[in-house]
Amino acid sequence: MTSTVAPLRIGNASGFYGDRFDALREMLTGGQLDVLTGDYLAELTMLILGRDRLKDPGAGYARTFLKQLEECLGLAQERGVRIVTNAGGLNPAGLADAVRKLADRLGMAVRVAHVEGDDLAARYPDALAAHAYLGGFGIAACLDAGADVVVTGRVTDAALVTGPAVAHFGWGAGDYDRLAGAVVAGHVLECGTQATGGNYAFFTEHAPEKLRRPGFPLAEIHGDGSCVITKHPGTGGVVDVGTVTAQLLYETHGARYAGPDVTARLDTVRIGEDETGDDRVRIEGVRGEAPPPTLKVGLNRLGGFRNEVTFVLTGLDIERKATLVREQMEAAFDEGNAKSRPGELRWDLARTDHADASTEETASALLRLVVRDADPEVVGRALSGAAVELALASYPGFHVLTPPGKGAPYGVFDDVYVPHGAVDHMAVLHDGRRVAVAPAHDTRVLEDVPQPTLPEPPPDGPTTRAPLGLVAGARSGDKGGNANVGVWARTDEAWRWLAHALTVERFKELLPETAELGVTRHVLPNLRALNFVVEGILGEGVAAQHRFDPQAKALGEWLRSRRLDIPEVLL
């Protein structure tokens, strides 16, 4: 049944804490909107805000948002745009109160509401922060009551879109297909300019001036849950099937994309260019199912202290120089007292050197030592002493990028799960009334979708050894200690080859760092895509900085650079 309610135009002005400061103003002045969202939270952000709150109990929210709002609250009021943001972080009530004080100071009557109940720190006293991922119905309750600004803590990123859609269209908890469509729209919008050409695999196909300053995305959501992804006219960037596909695959796992309100079936998503204009991509056909019986809870705790030093190895005998300094450092730790040896040491040699190089820098390799321990003195003084004492006693040309300083604390992220009813999801309205948000009534245990039938493989023909990225795009990211790499083809012919060629075994061959790890492949034929989930490659999460690329942001680009035999007809 077609909805008679006008589409909801909802934009995004932030993909992370630290995103473009002027985006709020750009989105408010660039074109018509009904709702403007801002996503400020990530696993690492929650740790940062937790440390802020240790120093100041009144802190714990994204202060940048308040500064942005000081410039733009009047604009939002003039244009009738409602603002929904998770910038409340660990202290949504504190940020809501700060927004009210800002409005009073500016002489404006603004109705500010907030959502709470995600904070489960009392259950997990050893955690610096413990927050359940809430859904969108608390946001909807605030908007239904007339709020102009809604502040949340840890809701799912997509909830910033599903909440306004529920309020606008009057959807109920059982409208799973419609809710799933809004979740997919929210997932596309949540990372801001990643949907409009930012971090895009095929960026070289677009003029550089078009990508220098991508505009932020918006979605025109319809009552049946379908949407059109676009951006304001005249802004930079590009919205096409490729940019939207890339973001759909970002930080997802299997075909079932679970959330607190609904499980969206990513294998049902249909996307295509919208015929009504440029930079318009239609998403439709999304099916939804009841959410799982539990809510995800993100736990952030302090894991200990870390420090690092990078030795510069120049010219000849790189491997032997690396061996010498490594043995010297290990001996220095062993010769000290038992407390001077860090609990964990990790060595990585990056062969950035070139033979017969024309500059000293390009003649040099980098040997990186990372140490971790529960004692800050061990990763501070012990590492610094051992490294500095080698200044005149090690390999020829010895120097380091920077002398090691004091040890810095690092965080660890875990996720656990609790029943829906274990969380007191509460909408605190602008007039102070508190409205309890009912937990999901119907739930469905999350199961993997059976692997779909693969397309017929292409006929045999001549092949050429070439980089995978010539025929496939990729985008990768982090989920706790795991990483995902979404890989997609842009034509049916390339998909027929990719679906058969890029197996788990081939994936591990191309990315040797994953060879000993668990890797699961999920097939998404509608998107002509494969999604690989790599277990444990990020250790204890981004805050632990386990590897060179701690959020796996470039894992997909590494994969695209690897060479394999590709049918010449595709090249």
Side-chain angles (χ1 to χ4, degrees):
M1 185 172 61
T2 303
S3 172
T4 58
V5 180
L8 174 70
R9 284 178 62 89
I10 182 165
N12 171 279
S14 176
F16 67 100
Y17 191 12
D19 210 341
R20 189 191 306 168
F21 186 86
D22 292 336
L24 201 68
R25 177 178 292 275
E26 291 169 10
M27 289 301 288
L28 288 171
T29 59
Q32 189 251 323
L33 287 176
D34 300 307
V35 177
L36 183 58
T37 67
D39 181 5
Y40 292 78
L41 301 186
E43 294 167 4
L44 180 60
T45 314
M46 298 299 280
L47 178 69
I48 293 169
L49 295 177
R51 291 173 60 185
D52 287 348
R53 206 171 189 191
L54 285 178
K55 301 172 186 175
D56 177 7
Y61 55 79
R63 297 182 184 275
T64 306
F65 170 73
L66 201 59
K67 295 177 181 177
Q68 291 172 298
L69 204 61
E70 185 167 6
E71 294 186 5
C72 298
L73 187 56
L75 280 173
Q77 291 289 93
E78 291 170 11
R79 288 162 170 74
V81 179
R82 304 165 94 177
I83 294 176
V84 178
T85 180
N86 61 14
L90 276 63
N91 189 9
L95 179 55
D97 189 52
V99 173
R100 292 186 191 97
K101 291 177 180 177
L102 172 63
D104 288 343
R105 180 160 56 83
L106 297 175
M108 300 171 58
V110 179
R111 293 167 294 193
V112 184
H114 73 275
V115 177
E116 60 185 38
D118 58 302
D119 191 345
L120 300 183
R123 289 172 172 258
Y124 304 97
D126 294 334
L128 184 60
H131 292 263
Y133 288 71
L134 303 180
F137 280 90
I139 295 170
C142 294
L143 294 171
D144 281 338
D148 302 308
V149 177
V150 180
V151 173
T152 78
R154 180 73 278 189
V155 296
T156 64
D157 299 338
L160 300 176
V161 171
T162 59
V166 167
H168 184 76
F169 295 110
W171 296 337
D175 287 324
Y176 295 132
D177 290 347
R178 295 174 175 86
L179 289 167
V183 163
V184 169
H187 183 61
V188 174
L189 296 188
E190 68 183 57
C191 288
T193 53
Q194 278 196 171
T196 59
N199 299 350
Y200 182 48
F202 299 108
F203 76 101
T204 59
E205 297 180 359
H206 301 284
E209 59 270 17
K210 200 169 188 179
L211 297 181
R212 285 192 189 119
R213 190 179 176 86
F216 276 69
L218 63 93
E220 299 169 356
I221 301 178
H222 295 264
D224 62 355
S226 66
C227 71
V228 172
I229 304 297
T230 184
K231 61 188 184 69
H232 283 324
T235 57
V238 59
V239 178
D240 64 17
V241 169
T243 65
V244 173
T245 299
Q247 181 55 28
L248 276 174
L249 295 172
Y250 182 63
E251 293 183 346
T252 60
H253 283 186
R256 284 189 164 103
Y257 186 64
D261 298 324
V262 64
T263 294
R265 289 288 297 265
L266 299 183
D267 56 339
T268 65
V269 176
R270 299 197 306 270
I271 64 175
E273 303 290 347
D274 188 69
E275 297 178 354
T276 59
D278 295 333
D279 293 308
R280 293 176 62 82
V281 171
R282 178 171 294 278
I283 301 177
E284 57 191 354
V286 186
R287 302 299 302 273
E289 300 170 345
T294 56
L295 297 176
K296 177 180 173 180
V297 179
L299 302 181
N300 290 90
R301 57 184 175 83
L302 293 177
F305 296 84
R306 70 181 298 280
N307 204 353
E308 65 178 76
V309 60
T310 301
F311 301 93
V312 182
L313 317 172
T314 305
L316 305 177
D317 305 318
I318 295 295
E319 298 285 347
R320 295 184 68 177
K321 288 172 180 174
T323 298
L324 174 59
V325 73
R326 180 170 179 169
E327 290 176 349
Q328 288 176 313
M329 289 292 293
E330 295 276 0
F333 289 138
D334 289 337
E335 288 168 4
N337 58 52
K339 292 184 178 181
S340 68
R341 183 176 182 85
E344 178 186 342
L345 295 89
R346 176 170 175 150
W347 294 90
D348 291 292
L349 175 60
R351 293 301 303 264
T352 53
D353 55 302
H354 299 266
D356 196 22
S358 59
T359 67
E360 182 179 338
E361 185 172 0
T362 56
S364 300
L366 302 176
L367 177 64
R368 182 170 177 247
L369 168 61
V370 176
V371 299
R372 303 175 194 275
D373 199 88
D375 187 346
E377 287 291 315
V378 170
V379 300
R381 185 176 302 169
L383 175 63
S384 179
V388 171
E389 287 174 5
L390 291 177
L392 304 179
S394 190
Y395 59 86
F398 179 99
H399 66 286
V400 297
L401 288 184
T402 56
K406 296 180 179 179
Y410 71 90
V412 172
F413 178 86
D414 295 307
D415 51 40
V416 297
Y417 293 84
V418 299
H420 284 258
V423 174
D424 296 324
H425 190 176
M426 191 72 62
V428 184
L429 308 183
H430 64 276
D431 58 9
R433 286 180 294 147
R434 300 174 64 84
V435 177
V437 179
H441 182 268
D442 296 317
T443 61
R444 174 175 177 166
V445 175
L446 201 63
E447 298 175 339
D448 287 337
V449 173
Q451 292 297 299
T453 302
L454 297 179
E456 287 294 320
D460 292 335
T463 62
T464 296
R465 197 79 175 169
L468 175 63
L470 295 183
V471 295
R475 179 168 285 168
S476 55
D478 63 306
K479 280 291 184 184
N482 300 339
N484 94 291
V485 184
V487 186
W488 79 94
R490 298 194 288 177
T491 66
D492 290 338
E493 293 77 14
W495 168 239
R496 290 172 63 192
W497 171 79
L498 182 69
H500 292 275
L502 195 55
T503 62
V504 169
E505 291 73 22
R506 179 64 57 81
F507 182 93
K508 289 187 172 187
E509 290 172 7
L510 295 174
L511 302 186
E513 285 185 39
T514 70
E516 303 302 319
L517 301 174
V519 176
T520 305
R521 186 179 97 150
H522 302 278
V523 182
L524 301 169
N526 279 11
L527 301 177
R528 294 194 291 242
L530 304 171
N531 195 22
F532 294 88
V533 179
V534 184
E535 298 175 9
I537 192 170
L538 303 180
E540 295 176 296
V542 54
Q545 299 184 44
H546 177 72
R547 65 190 296 271
F548 168 69
D549 176 15
Q551 289 181 279
K553 295 291 189 181
L555 200 59
E557 286 301 293
W558 179 27
L559 178 66
R560 292 182 70 237
S561 75
R562 299 290 282 163
R563 293 174 179 265
L564 66 169
D565 295 327
I566 299 176
E568 290 182 0
V569 68
L570 300 181
L571 299 171

